[in-house]
């Protein structure tokens, strides 16, 4: 057994990490408060605060404690620690936000898109939104997380153009677009995968290691979470369910996306589902609404049966603009409860889950960058 002792440099690095994590959690702290929170002696904390201040990571806020005794100095992260870029690419446009290491959104930007915008307008919109934020925030954009309403190639982070996709931006490469504007890593993943991570982090799937997240909106998607991790598949295309065969309105086999065409619930000249038309159809009441609800439930439950057979989840989560409609969720839940391998069906709870999931990853990445200093993260197109 080795009797080698850890080096002084390693011990200092560990202390500095504890100090920084305490400050990032609380926002501002005195040295006495840091010592109390971390259990590290005050002299050791004082040495760490001095090192981190000299390195430009911590800064004296100018605030002091009040009351009896010697006033304590409050320290916080220096503004030069920068922010993380969180951006979402959808048929409606690009939305972007800069998040600091405290988890606060400090700036927002957006750019409009259309459902069939194409590659160049999408790239321009993404670059424009990121450039606006970079000009606004001190310390620059140190890393980025991108949520895309399209399949994402696992190795490169480039968007994948599949047949009949409702949102057409071609093989957009967010990593390449953002590289001149972001100092470090650019992570890219499909919006449904980020939504599933958010739901596991603080929604109806909190603490559940094995579940299926079904997104029902203008597009159709599925995320499979197994052993606590989103399973993305060899190319990153796991969960692309639009072309699965299921039960159609006439009781015969049909491709899932064609079910909506048969029901008259797709946008003209597009495979995108007309969410407003769908809502009106199920809210109208009467026999017609019941027929639409029944057809939707049979089609969705056919997909869920395939997902349960392959992934063996503990829970099914329904999300998306019409997946959260009470009548839709209730009808799907009741029908799926009759299937041979039924599992509980729950409605998603997290608002804007794709941004919430991406934001949580961006915060984690940024904090690691603050702690690791100039070493940073290697640029990559895919989440780890």
């Amino acid at each position: 057994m080795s009797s080698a002792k850890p080096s002084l440099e390693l011990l200092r690095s560990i202390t500095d990490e504890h100090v920084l994590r305490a400050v990032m959690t609380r926002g501002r702290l005195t040295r006495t408060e840091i010592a109390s929170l971390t259990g590290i002696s005050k002299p050791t904390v004082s040495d760490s605060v001095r090192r981190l201040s000299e390195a430009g990571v911590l800064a004296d806020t100018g605030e002091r404690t009040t009351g009896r005794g010697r006033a304590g100095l409050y320290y916080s992260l220096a503004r030069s620690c920068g922010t993380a870029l969180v951006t979402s690419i959808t048929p409606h446009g690009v939305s972007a936000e800069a998040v600091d290491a405290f988890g606060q959104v400090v700036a927002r930007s957006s750019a409009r898109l259309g459902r069939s915008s194409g590659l160049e307008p999408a790239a321009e919109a993404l670059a424009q939104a990121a450039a606006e934020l970079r000009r606004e925030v001190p310390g620059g954009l140190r890393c980025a997380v991108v949520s895309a309403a399209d399949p994402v190639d696992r190795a490169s982070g480039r968007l994948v153009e599949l047949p009949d996709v409702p949102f057409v931006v071609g093989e957009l490469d967010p990593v390449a677009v953002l590289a001149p504007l972001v100092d470090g890593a650019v992570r890219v993943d499909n919006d449904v995968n980020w939504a599933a991570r958010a739901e596991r982090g603080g929604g109806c799937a909190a603490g559940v290691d094995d579940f299926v997240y079904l997104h029902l909106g203008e597009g159709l998607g599925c995320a499979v979470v197994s052993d606590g991790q989103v399973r993305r598949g060899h190319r990153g295309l796991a969960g692309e369910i639009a072309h699965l065969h299921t039960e159609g309105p006439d009781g015969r086999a049909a491709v899932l996306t064609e079910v909506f065409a048969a029901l008259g619930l797709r946008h003209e000249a597009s495979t995108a589902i007309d969410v407003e038309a769908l809502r009106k159809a199920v809210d109208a009441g009467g026999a017609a609404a019941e027929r639409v609800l029944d057809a939707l439930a049979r089609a969705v439950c056919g997909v869920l049966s395939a997902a349960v057979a392959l992934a063996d989840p503990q829970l099914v989560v329904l999300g998306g603009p019409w997946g959260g409609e009470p009548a839709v969720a209730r009808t799907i839940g009741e029908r799926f409860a009759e299937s041979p391998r039924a599992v509980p069906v729950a409605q998603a709870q997290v608002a804007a889950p794709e941004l919430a999931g991406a934001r949580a990853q961006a915060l984690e990445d940024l904090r690691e960058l603050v702690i690791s200093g100039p070493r940073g993260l290697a640029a990559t197109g895919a989440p780890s």
Side-chain angles (χ1 to χ4, degrees):
M1 175 180 277
S2 172
S3 59
K5 296 181 179 180
S7 68
L8 181 59
E9 181 182 356
L10 175 60
L11 292 174
R12 285 175 174 173
S13 175
I14 293 171
T15 299
D16 292 350
E17 177 174 349
H18 284 300
V19 170
L20 285 172
R21 290 196 183 278
V23 172
M24 287 188 285
T25 301
R26 296 300 182 93
R28 62 164 199 171
L29 290 170
T30 66
R31 285 170 291 188
T32 299
E33 289 172 336
I34 295 171
S36 177
L37 283 169
T38 62
I40 301 171
S41 70
K42 189 174 177 182
T44 302
V45 166
S46 295
D47 287 342
S48 176
V49 168
R50 175 184 52 76
R51 284 194 302 273
L52 293 169
S53 298
E54 291 174 352
V57 182
L58 288 184
D60 181 352
T61 66
E63 301 168 283
R64 303 291 183 267
T65 59
T66 59
R68 298 176 61 183
R70 184 178 178 181
L73 284 64
Y74 281 104
Y75 290 89
S76 187
L77 293 181
R79 290 166 64 84
S80 59
C81 287
T83 59
L85 172 67
V86 181
T87 185
S88 174
I89 308 171
T90 76
H92 308 292
V94 173
S95 61
E97 56 188 42
V99 179
D100 66 19
F102 305 120
Q104 299 298 312
V105 177
V106 297
R108 287 186 171 91
S109 179
S110 62
R112 298 191 67 176
L113 279 178
R115 190 175 291 107
S116 300
S117 292
L119 176 58
E120 290 186 8
E124 290 174 5
L126 179 59
Q128 174 189 326
E132 288 181 8
L133 291 182
R134 185 176 176 88
R135 288 192 296 267
E136 286 186 40
V137 296
L141 302 171
R142 297 193 63 185
C143 57
V145 175
V146 179
S147 168
D150 258 346
V152 176
D153 181 78
R154 182 173 183 173
S156 67
R158 187 187 295 269
L159 274 54
V160 178
E161 189 172 359
L162 295 178
D164 299 327
V165 292
F167 178 38
V168 182
V169 294
E171 295 185 351
L172 177 68
D173 189 347
V175 177
V177 171
L178 295 175
L181 301 165
V182 177
D183 299 332
V186 178
R187 298 182 184 266
V188 189
D189 203 0
N190 175 262
D191 56 352
V192 184
N193 288 342
W194 289 123
R197 293 182 181 98
E199 204 63 40
R200 184 173 185 268
C204 67
V208 179
D209 285 343
D210 301 275
F211 68 95
V212 168
Y213 183 106
L214 192 65
H215 172 88
L216 303 174
E218 288 191 357
L220 303 163
C222 178
V224 176
V225 178
S226 179
D227 296 330
Q229 299 294 321
V230 173
R231 300 304 176 187
R232 306 178 69 215
H234 171 62
R235 288 189 58 198
L237 304 183
E240 295 298 325
I241 59 171
H243 293 89
L244 280 179
H245 281 81
T246 185
E247 183 178 350
D250 60 359
R252 292 185 293 182
V255 173
L256 178 59
T257 188
E258 294 301 323
V259 170
F260 301 91
L263 294 171
L265 299 177
R266 292 204 320 204
H267 285 286
E268 187 176 351
S270 171
T271 58
I273 296 167
D274 189 334
V275 175
E276 289 307 311
L278 187 152
R279 285 172 172 159
K280 288 179 182 179
V282 300
D283 290 342
E290 289 300 321
R291 283 195 295 273
V292 172
L293 280 169
D294 181 66
L296 292 175
R298 283 187 284 121
V300 170
C301 287
V303 171
L304 289 180
S305 292
V308 168
L310 292 172
D312 189 24
Q314 177 184 341
L315 178 71
V316 168
V317 178
L318 294 181
W322 60 272
E325 289 289 309
V328 172
R330 182 183 66 253
T331 307
I332 292 173
E334 290 172 353
R335 177 169 284 275
F336 194 59
E338 300 171 357
S339 63
R341 290 185 58 187
V343 297
V345 177
Q347 285 185 261
Q349 297 175 348
V350 179
E354 69 288 345
L355 269 177
R359 190 183 300 121
Q361 182 65 64
L363 176 60
E364 180 181 331
D365 287 351
L366 178 59
R367 287 181 170 180
E368 290 301 322
L369 282 169
V370 171
I371 290 167
S372 63
R375 293 191 297 275
L377 295 172
T380 176
S384 56

